[in-house]
């Protein structure tokens, strides 16, 4: 077996479903679709007066990579504003080998996706949805 | 259908030997190619025919008096004759197009231009986007209306709904001969009978049927037939439209250019007769010659045996999938009136993750919406994993797939 992509950490992140679900009264919400594969992510957030995330929830209709990414993102998003979320996106980009430098946790888990270009958008889709929700 | 040119009846090892790519080893694993519905593999006979043209006859067609041009034109027209034989029609009724999509667009544009606002086109819920979007473009241009035949729970076009949907305003019914998602075979007779009762024309999208053996189009009572070369063991960039000659003759051109004219002046241009009217510009000569060779290759295969073989693989696949907890088959449960395209889902695992896992087992399949989003919406599916077979597939392909699905079920949920 040469099953490089689905390593335990990615599967664990997806199964953890951190932040999976909906918020009752989100300050903002945004949905993003990937027309090529049909993946869909909805992000609900609550913000404080400074535009920082106080609560986050996501619904993913998509593959394991997209679920794992939404879970990882939700685990580290609370307390961050738009700039802070843009900053952690660099960690995902680094893990995918699209930017140089070492990614911070938990995004090192996505390093196996660097070799699978066609699946990288799956990892980035939750970031796109959260960016829309924050804008 | 005893083989003449390539002299063979059905013998799986002999069939496989003709497809060089099937002996490819990738990362130490053989290729288990089960994505034939997207693009089939191509046999040596096709590769040789294209090479022969490129190395001995390469020139433009219909235009030169030199000997290479004559060879090229002859090879191109011979290819048309091979395709015609495969379809059971006359060569001059066969139009080479850029693909199946291009053939459907040709009809939607040229035949569509004869339709008026308020005329109705009837499609089905399981159509490939390429048999939906061209009609929506026509609707935007001319105000025709589109009706849709729903599908049954087991993924067939629900023909019990035909009487309500076929009206005197219905001008054309365009349906998949075989579904690219469920493998369901259309009951053409019922469709043609309903169409005839109101004088509507019938077009079939044969993309998923043509790769499974010769046809006898005149006996079907239909008006147009489209298919793609690359799914029928031929090259890319070539497809076919067949149309009844009296319909083709009444249709204006789709594209203008060289080869499709009678006489051009700036005041007026007259059209060449079909098929040239619909083959503007230099055609895909090499690919057409390759498709001709693919049609004669198919013609030489014993399809009774090949079909039995394909259906035995479908049975093995369905039996095996049912042993994996959480798999659901989507499409007809029986082997009757279907072709070897099988879609399934695995509870708790996204189809793309199934397909990716299968890739690591050396198994190529397709996952996603299969360009049939209305069908996915109808069943509220993210997508399916689709296994599509060809005569060169064997039990090892199915068993490798089943091992991969079992692995995905164990590790990804
Ligand atoms: C049923 C059906 N129709 C049409 C097409 C379009 O074929 P092409 O993309 O080769 O033009 C396909 C291919 O995916 C198909 O499966």
């Amino acid at each position: 077996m040469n099953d490089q992509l689905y390593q335990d950490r990615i599967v664990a992140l997806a199964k953890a479903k951190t932040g999976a679900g909906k918020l009752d009264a989100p300050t903002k919400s945004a949905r993003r679709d990937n027309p090529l594969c049909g993946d869909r992510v909805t992000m609900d957030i609550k913000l404080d007066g400074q535009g920082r995330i106080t609560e986050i929830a996501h619904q993913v209709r998509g593959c394991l990579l997209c679920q794992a990414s939404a879970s990882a993102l939700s685990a580290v998003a609370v307390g961050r504003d738009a700039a802070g979320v843009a900053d952690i996106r660099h960690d995902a980009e680094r893990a995918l080998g699209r930017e140089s430098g070492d990614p911070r946790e938990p995004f090192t888990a996505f390093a196996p996706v660097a070799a699978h270009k066609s699946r990288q958008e799956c990892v980035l889709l939750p970031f796109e949805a959260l960016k829309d929700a924050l804008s | 259908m005893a083989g003449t040119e390539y002299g063979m009846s059905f013998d799986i090892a002999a069939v496989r030997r003709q497809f060089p790519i099937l002996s490819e080893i990738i990362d130490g694993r053989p290729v288990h190619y089960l994505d034939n519905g997207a693009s089939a593999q191509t046999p040596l006979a096709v590769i040789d025919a294209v090479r022969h043209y490129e190395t001995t006859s390469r020139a433009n067609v219909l235009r030169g008096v030199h000997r290479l041009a004559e060879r090229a034109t002859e090879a191109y027209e011979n290819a048309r004759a091979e395709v015609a034989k495969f379809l059971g029609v006359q060569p001059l009724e066969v139009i080479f197009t850029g693909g199946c999509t291009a053939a459907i667009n040709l009809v939607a544009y040229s035949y569509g231009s004869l339709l008026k606002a308020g005329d109705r086109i009837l499609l089905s819920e399981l159509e490939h986007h390429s048999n939906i979007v061209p009609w929506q473009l026509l609707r935007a241009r001319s105000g025709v209306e589109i009706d849709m035949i729903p599908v049954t729970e087991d993924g067939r076009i629900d023909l019990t709904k035909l009487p309500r949907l076929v009206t005197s305003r219905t001008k054309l019914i365009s349906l998949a001969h075989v579904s690219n998602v469920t493998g369901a075979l259309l009951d053409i007779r019922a469709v043609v009978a309903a169409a005839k009762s109101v004088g509507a024309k019938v077009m079939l999208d044969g993309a998923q049927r043509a790769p499974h053996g010769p046809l006898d189009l005149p006996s079907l009572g239909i008006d147009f037939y489209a298919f793609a070369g690359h799914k029928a063991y031929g090259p890319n960039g070539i497809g076919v439209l067949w149309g009844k000659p009296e319909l083709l003759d009444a249709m204006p051109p789709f594209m203008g250019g060289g080869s499709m004219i009678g006489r051009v002046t700036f005041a007026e241009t007259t059209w060449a007769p079909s098929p040239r009217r619909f083959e503007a510009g230099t055609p895909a000569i090499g690919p057409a010659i390759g498709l001709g060779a693919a049609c004669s290759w198919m013609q030489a295969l014993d399809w009774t045996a090949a079909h039995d073989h394909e259906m035995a693989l479908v049975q093995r696949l369905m039996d095996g999938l049912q042993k994996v907890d959480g798999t659901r088959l989507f499409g007809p449960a029986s082997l009757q009136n279907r072709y070897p395209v099988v879609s399934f889902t695995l509870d708790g695992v996204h189809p793309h993750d199934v397909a990716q896992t299968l890739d690591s087992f050396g198994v190529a399949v397709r996952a996603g919406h299969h360009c049939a989003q209305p069908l996915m919406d109808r069943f509220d599916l993210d997508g399916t994993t689709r296994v599509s077979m060809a005569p060169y597939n064997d039990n090892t392909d199915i068993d490798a797939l089943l091992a991969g699905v079992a692995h995905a079920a164990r590790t990804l949920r």
Side-chain angles (χ1 to χ4, degrees):
Chain A
M1 265 299 309
N2 168 29
D3 194 5
Q4 299 290 344
L5 184 56
Y6 299 109
Q7 294 187 0
D8 293 349
R9 286 195 59 210
I10 291 187
V11 177
L13 277 171
K15 285 186 183 166
K17 293 189 186 293
T18 309
K22 290 184 188 181
L23 295 184
D24 270 347
T27 319
K28 291 203 170 161
S29 182
R31 191 182 97 192
R32 267 292 185 124
D33 289 275
N34 179 341
L36 284 181
C37 66
D39 281 0
R40 163 176 296 183
V41 177
T42 309
M43 283 280 180
D44 292 350
I45 47 175
K46 282 189 189 170
L47 299 174
D48 68 11
Q50 276 85 52
R52 287 184 302 236
I53 297 171
T54 57
E55 276 185 72
I56 183 165
H58 61 81
Q59 295 146 260
V60 173
R61 198 173 160 157
C63 65
L64 187 118
L65 300 181
C66 191
Q67 291 170 26
S69 168
S71 194
L73 179 56
S74 299
V76 296
V78 171
R80 292 175 189 268
D81 60 8
V85 169
D87 187 44
I88 50 178
R89 182 184 173 126
H90 292 299
D91 292 307
E93 299 270 3
R94 285 181 196 126
L96 299 178
R98 294 156 67 122
E99 288 180 16
S100 59
D102 291 327
R104 288 170 293 181
E105 296 303 338
F107 296 98
T108 53
F110 293 95
V113 192
H116 295 266
K117 263 215 153 56
S118 66
R119 303 298 302 279
Q120 294 179 359
E121 295 307 317
C122 309
V123 176
L124 296 175
L125 195 64
F127 285 87
E128 295 290 325
L130 184 56
K131 189 168 121 192
D132 284 357
L134 283 164
S135 68
Chain B
M1 271 178 289
T4 45
E5 198 162 355
Y6 291 97
M8 62 189 196
S9 68
F10 194 75
D11 164 355
I12 179 76
V15 173
R16 289 181 66 84
R17 274 198 298 279
Q18 297 179 57
F19 290 80
I21 206 165
L22 298 179
S23 40
E24 200 52 27
I25 301 288
I26 302 178
D27 291 340
R29 249 175 263 280
V31 172
H32 296 292
Y33 192 76
L34 293 167
D35 193 19
N36 296 286
S39 249
Q41 297 301 343
T42 198
L44 282 169
V46 171
I47 299 165
D48 290 347
V50 175
R51 186 182 160 82
H52 184 77
Y53 160 72
E54 299 291 359
T55 53
T56 69
S57 322
R58 183 178 163 96
N60 211 322
V61 290
L62 294 173
R63 301 174 191 192
V65 295
H66 55 78
R67 272 168 289 177
L68 286 182
E70 280 186 359
R71 280 187 182 179
T73 303
E74 191 185 335
Y76 182 67
E77 293 307 325
N78 283 344
R80 194 191 305 281
E82 286 300 342
V83 173
K85 195 156 102 193
F86 175 75
L87 298 176
V89 301
Q90 294 305 309
L92 292 180
E93 300 163 9
V94 169
I95 298 162
F96 283 122
T97 65
C100 186
T101 303
I104 298 171
N105 274 275
L106 194 167
V107 176
Y109 186 90
S110 294
Y111 184 74
S113 73
L114 305 175
L115 302 179
K116 309 180 296 296
D119 286 347
R120 305 187 81 92
I121 310 279
L122 183 57
L123 310 174
S124 89
E125 201 170 19
L126 61 64
E127 296 312 310
H128 189 280
H129 296 165
S130 67
N131 193 26
I132 299 175
V133 183
W135 306 108
Q136 292 174 327
L137 293 172
L138 173 64
R139 178 172 67 188
R141 279 195 304 275
S142 72
V144 301
E145 287 167 53
I146 297 173
D147 297 306
M148 191 254 319
I149 316 175
V151 298
T152 59
E153 279 302 314
D154 65 346
R156 291 185 185 277
I157 298 174
D158 186 356
L159 296 179
T160 65
K161 301 290 193 304
L162 269 186
R164 189 169 54 76
L165 288 165
V166 176
T167 72
S168 60
R169 294 201 307 172
T170 307
K171 298 298 173 200
L172 181 77
I173 306 178
S174 185
L175 299 172
H177 191 175
V178 168
S179 162
N180 69 315
V181 180
T182 70
L185 171 68
L186 180 70
D187 178 356
I188 299 170
R189 221 177 277 234
V191 174
V192 168
K196 287 229 163 99
S197 72
V198 296
K201 306 297 178 222
V202 176
M203 162 139 163
L204 295 185
D205 168 358
Q208 297 295 336
R209 169 60 186 82
H212 301 286
L215 289 148
D216 180 23
L217 296 185
S219 72
L220 303 180
I222 60 166
D223 301 281
F224 297 105
Y225 199 87
F227 74 96
H230 67 102
K231 295 182 200 285
Y233 320 105
N236 284 305
I238 190 80
V240 167
L241 174 69
W242 169 80
K244 275 197 179 144
E246 60 271 26
L247 290 174
L248 295 176
D249 286 345
M251 284 158 49
F254 177 30
M255 288 193 279
S259 298
M260 50 72 72
I261 43 94
R263 169 110 188 98
V264 177
T265 66
F266 272 91
E268 191 188 31
T269 293
T270 58
W271 316 132
S274 181
R276 277 173 49 215
R277 181 183 304 172
F278 301 106
E279 294 181 358
T282 299
I285 305 164
I289 290 165
L291 180 55
C295 285
S296 43
W297 181 83
M298 287 192 281
Q299 199 87 40
L301 202 67
D302 174 353
W303 282 96
T304 308
H307 187 73
D308 287 351
H309 168 69
E310 289 177 330
M311 287 300 129
L313 295 177
V314 169
Q315 188 68 60
R316 188 180 186 93
L317 172 66
M318 298 207 298
D319 291 348
L321 285 175
Q322 268 149 4
K323 291 192 191 117
V324 181
D325 191 36
T327 53
R328 281 173 222 240
L329 288 162
F330 175 58
S334 83
L335 300 189
Q336 299 307 306
N337 297 321
R338 76 171 297 157
Y339 277 81
V341 176
V342 178
S343 270
F344 68 95
T345 59
L346 178 59
D347 285 350
V349 186
H350 192 277
H352 283 138
D353 298 320
V354 175
Q356 189 88 55
T357 302
L358 288 173
D359 178 62
S360 65
F361 281 74
V363 179
V365 295
R366 174 89 182 268
H369 54 58
H370 312 297
C371 298
Q373 282 179 339
L375 183 64
M376 298 294 119
D377 291 346
R378 151 79 163 80
F379 290 94
D380 195 27
L381 289 169
D382 293 343
T384 68
T385 303
R386 179 186 75 180
V387 187
S388 51
M389 286 154 264
Y392 45 68
N393 287 123
D394 63 13
N395 288 343
T396 69
D397 297 330
I398 302 302
D399 295 348
L401 177 130
L402 292 170
V405 174
H407 182 80
R410 263 198 318 276
T411 57
L412 298 187
R413 56 179 187 188

